[in-house]
């Protein structure tokens, strides 16, 4: 179905003018990412809102268009790319003058899909909400989707997590995508965090906004902190949800997050009498199951959680670990799922594994994912470094599980195929700032452990940090308290009201009959 979007460029332009004042014609913003005077000008071009697969109500009243920016700001005179953007009006009759701009996770996640979560969380209640797809996203030009990789992931559910066949098929899909994108003239080295940050700086200027508030989650916090470091002008406040500080994100770092998030789930079960009584020594049970599945993988048919025909899935130790890291099983069900697995009932994990078989082809900008990971996260670390970090995180687990970084299997080999320049030295830099900052973390987050927020906060002198018990990755849409804290922060960045956090406890765990 189509959107009730705005299909008239003239109407869109008028609405943007009303909201933010005149948009300069032609060159509206210059980026200093490559030094003064070197970058081509950027401009906002009003246009229709994207036609998303499922209707997004908020886009029916949004002002949409494209931000035109240089693909590579270090190469004057190069090609221009277009980034899809939407300005969603506030629901308040008297909105604040400073809007919120959202920076999505990923890298490569489809940004417009996040709009319903943002609206339901109240992000546009008191001020306008601005959403822009990071370069390479679904509605951008060019779009760095890799259908080849999506089709691999659909097959991957029926393969051993670290099997030679999985590795061969993954690398083949990566090469095919890279060859296709570069044949189209795309400069893969230009799809990185610094350019993403410069794009948001250009958007603010192009829309004629004097100052705004930044809200990012997951990889979006990496972009937000890079933006704050390199383009601090016009930033009123920064809210970071599930923070990944640029100086911390490397290939081995995921093991610390996995240990923290999974460990906190196990500790919370042990602290809840009913859970501890029903699932005693859950940590040992999990270790036993990882070792058992790695030695003797299960092959079975499972129906994806959202329906469809059953598909073949393989559950081995690596698959089990990564399902837990991805919060693929609802968090209250994790102890029950581990207990059932130990007693020969793997259905919860099997269904969760089957979910990837039904993923929509072409939604994820894998080109951005791999360009960021290979330029910024992987350089300087070896497979041995990843294995050592894994052993520290989960002593006694099989090396075959610990040799692959969580969520990034075979990443060093992938990066040899992707072949983009090393940007680690320029990107792994802490952001020091006195701009008011809010850092929100979920204690059950196994993708980005809550302790990483402390790393980011150390150099943010006017920061407030909160931890929400029992919540996984991307906290605000899942926690009414986090929504209240964020709203109070946007109203008073130097004195947010965090009182609702006191006394919060995780949702009770699912207790199955013996």
């Amino acid at each position: 179905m189509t959107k009730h979007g705005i299909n008239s460029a003239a109407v869109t332009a008028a609405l943007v003018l009303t909201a933010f004042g005149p948009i300069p014609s032609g060159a509206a913003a210059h980026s200093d990412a490559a030094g003064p005077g070197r970058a081509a000008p950027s401009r906002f071009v009003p246009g229709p809102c994207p036609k998303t697969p499922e209707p997004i109500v908020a886009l029916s009243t949004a002002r949409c268009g494209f931000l035109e920016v240089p693909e590579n700001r270090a190469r004057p005179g190069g090609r221009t790319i277009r980034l899809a953007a939407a300005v969603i009006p506030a629901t308040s009759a008297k909105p604040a003058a400073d809007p919120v701009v959202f920076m999505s996770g990923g890298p490569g996640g489809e940004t417009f899909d996040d709009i319903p979560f943002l609206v339901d969380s109240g992000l546009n209640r008191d001020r306008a909400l601005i959403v822009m797809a990071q370069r390479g996203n679904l509605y951008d030009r060019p779009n760095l989707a890799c259908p080849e990789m999506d089709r691999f992931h659909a097959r991957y559910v029926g393969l051993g997590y670290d099997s030679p066949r999985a590795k061969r098929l993954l690398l083949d899909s990566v090469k095919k995508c890279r060859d296709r994108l570069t044949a189209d003239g795309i400069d893969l080295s230009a799809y990185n965090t610094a350019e993403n940050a410069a794009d948001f700086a250009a958007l603010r200027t192009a829309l004629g906004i004097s100052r705004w508030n930044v809200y990012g989650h997951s990889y979006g916090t990496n972009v937000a902190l890079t933006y704050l470091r390199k383009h601090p002008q016009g930033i009123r406040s920064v809210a970071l949800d599930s923070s990944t500080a640029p100086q911390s994100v490397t290939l081995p770092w995921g093991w610390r997050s996995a240990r923290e998030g999974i460990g906190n789930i196990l500790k919370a079960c042990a602290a809840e009498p009913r859970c501890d009584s029903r699932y005693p020594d859950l940590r040992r049970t999990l270790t036993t199951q990882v070792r058992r599945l790695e030695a003797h993988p299960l092959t079975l048919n499972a129906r994806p959680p959202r329906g469809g025909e059953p598909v073949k899935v393989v559950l081995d130790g690596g698959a089990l670990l990564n399902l837990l890291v991805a919060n693929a099983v609802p968090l209250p069900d994790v102890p029950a799922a581990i207990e059932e697995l130990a007693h020969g009932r793997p259905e919860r994990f099997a269904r969760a594994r089957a979910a990837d078989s039904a993923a929509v082809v072409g939604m994820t900008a894998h080109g951005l994912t791999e360009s960021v990971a290979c330029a910024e996260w992987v350089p300087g670390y070896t497979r041995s470094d990843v294995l050592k970090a894994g052993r520290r995180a989960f002593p006694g687990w099989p090396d075959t599980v610990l040799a692959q970084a969580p969520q990034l299997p075979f990443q060093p080999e992938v990066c040899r195929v992707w072949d983009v320049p090393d940007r680690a030295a320029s990107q792994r830099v802490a952001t020091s700032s006195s701009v008011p900052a809010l850092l929100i973390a979920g204690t059950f987050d196994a993708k980005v452990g809550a302790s990483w927020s402390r790393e980011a906060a150390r150099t943010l002198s006017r920061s407030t940090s909160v931890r929400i018990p029992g919540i996984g990755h991307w906290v605000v849409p899942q926690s009414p308290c986090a929504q209240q804290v964020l709203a109070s922060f946007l109203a008073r960045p130097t004195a947010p009201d965090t009182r609702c956090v006191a006394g919060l406890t995780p949702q009770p765990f699912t207790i199955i009959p013996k």
Side-chain angles (χ1 to χ4, degrees), residues 2 19 67 72 121 135 178-180 188 208-209 217 234 287 318 334 337 347 367 371 402 439:
T2 60
L67 180 72
N72 190 330
S121 300
R135 48 180 51 209
R178 188 190 193 283
D179 289 349
R180 178 177 52 79
L188 295 176
I209 299 170
H217 88 91
T287 296
V334 167
E347 289 79 15
S371 289
L402 304 177
L439 296 96

Side-chain angles (χ1 to χ4, degrees), residues 252-270:
W253 76 277
W255 280 119
R256 180 172 139 187
S257 292
R259 177 187 63 192
E260 182 178 1
I262 295 171
N264 283 343
I265 295 172
L266 303 181
K267 288 176 186 175
C269 178

Side-chain angles (χ1 to χ4, degrees), residues 83-85 110-112 131-140 200:
L83 312 181
E110 205 294 281
T111 305
F112 279 72
V131 174
M132 182 172 73
Q134 293 164 23
R135 48 180 51 209
N137 224 267
L138 176 62
Y139 302 111
D140 295 340
F200 281 99

Side-chain angles (χ1 to χ4, degrees), residues 156-161 288-302 311-320 323 337-351 353-354:
Y156 192 20
V157 303
L159 304 172
Y161 190 79
T288 299
Q289 294 313 301
V290 170
R291 297 178 70 171
R292 179 177 69 86
L293 287 176
E294 192 66 3
H296 305 287
L298 293 176
T299 301
L300 61 161
N301 290 325
V311 297
K312 171 190 168 185
V313 301
V314 173
L315 282 179
D316 55 16
L320 178 58
L323 290 171
I338 295 171
E339 177 73 8
E340 289 172 340
L341 179 63
H343 288 83
R345 301 193 302 275
E347 289 79 15
R348 291 186 201 257
F349 285 115
R351 287 195 301 270
R353 179 92 165 115

Side-chain angles (χ1 to χ4, degrees), residues 6 8-16 63:
I6 297 168
S8 165
V11 173
T12 305
L15 288 170
V16 174
R63 287 93 64 185

Side-chain angles (χ1 to χ4, degrees), residues 226-268:
T226 302
Y227 173 46
L228 181 60
R229 174 169 63 92
K230 299 174 75 71
H231 310 278
Q233 301 82 6
I235 302 176
R236 175 178 178 262
S237 70
V238 177
L240 307 172
D241 186 331
S242 308
S243 302
T244 61
Q247 71 270 23
S248 304
V249 184
T250 61
L251 193 57
W253 76 277
W255 280 119
R256 180 172 139 187
S257 292
R259 177 187 63 192
E260 182 178 1
I262 295 171
N264 283 343
I265 295 172
L266 303 181
K267 288 176 186 175

